[in-house]
Amino acid sequence: SGIGAGESLKAHGLEVLVERKAVGRNLQDHLGLDYLYRSRVPTLNDQLYPRWGKLWQGLRYVLTRRGPLSLSVNQAGGFVRTGPAAARPNMQLYFSPVSYTRAPKGKRPLMNPDPFSGFLLGFQPTRPTSRGHIGLRSANPMDAPEIHPNSLATEKDREEMVEGCRVMRQIAAAPA
């Protein structure tokens, strides 16, 4: 479009129409972390892992709009303070009665539940302080941009991720 940081636009052979250094800057995201657990009782993995289970639950959803495919991925959650120093909740928690191993970096296969009963506990800090940026890869608008999330760039964000891990372990160690 020609709107953005002049140096970057010129480096890709683009005409600078409007100089705006802030374009693509101040990217912020909530970095989350999931803990996957095996379960001693059946979970949605048992219904959704086998091929016939996917087919059955898909058909069930299409015909009745019910079943596990009609539900949110996360079945429960909440907000907590990770310690007395936090004036307000600083962590969002998630629970999902399904577990899945993430695809290796660079791969995008369909998510598939693990072949065993399992569930997921996850968290993310609510107010990250790290900032990243998005930049041009080339002058071709069809090329994906360069994305630099810069997650965990601040000490506060690193500390909160450690605190979140501690809270997850406390929850996992609690009796049923």
Side-chain angles (χ1 to χ4, degrees):
S1 68
I3 302 171
E7 292 174 19
S8 177
L9 294 169
K10 288 176 188 173
H12 293 290
L14 297 168
E15 181 184 355
V16 180
L17 299 178
V18 179
E19 170 77 24
R20 292 286 185 263
K21 291 187 184 288
V23 170
R25 297 291 181 220
N26 203 34
L27 173 66
Q28 49 188 308
D29 197 3
H30 299 271
L31 179 65
L33 185 67
D34 295 334
Y35 282 74
L36 304 176
Y37 295 92
R38 286 185 180 262
S39 174
R40 291 185 211 132
V41 299
T43 66
L44 289 182
N45 289 10
D46 302 288
Q47 295 177 39
L48 297 173
Y49 177 75
R51 201 175 293 257
W52 61 265
K54 288 179 190 65
L55 179 62
W56 168 246
Q57 295 302 338
L59 186 61
R60 181 179 178 195
Y61 175 74
V62 168
L63 295 176
T64 68
R65 295 291 192 248
R66 297 198 186 284
L69 299 183
S70 68
L71 304 171
S72 170
V73 171
N74 296 306
Q75 300 296 305
F79 294 88
V80 299
R81 291 184 312 135
T82 57
R88 57 187 175 174
N90 63 326
M91 206 65 60
Q92 185 170 6
L93 308 181
Y94 303 95
F95 166 76
S96 180
V98 65
S99 70
Y100 45 88
T101 303
R102 304 227 185 226
K105 188 172 182 161
K107 304 278 184 190
R108 297 259 340 183
L110 291 175
M111 287 191 308
N112 195 35
D114 290 320
F116 51 81
S117 298
F119 61 93
L120 175 152
L121 293 177
F123 73 92
Q124 65 185 33
T126 57
R127 287 175 286 285
T129 56
S130 298
R131 298 294 181 262
H133 66 277
I134 298 174
L136 295 174
R137 187 173 304 277
S138 75
N140 182 346
M142 300 311 290
D143 286 348
E146 291 183 352
I147 302 173
H148 305 275
N150 204 29
S151 301
L152 302 177
T154 67
E155 184 62 28
K156 179 182 180 293
D157 288 353
R158 291 188 293 271
E159 287 173 3
E160 283 200 332
M161 289 301 285
V162 171
E163 290 169 4
C165 291
R166 182 181 45 77
V167 168
M168 287 292 99
R169 283 196 218 103
Q170 286 174 341
I171 291 171

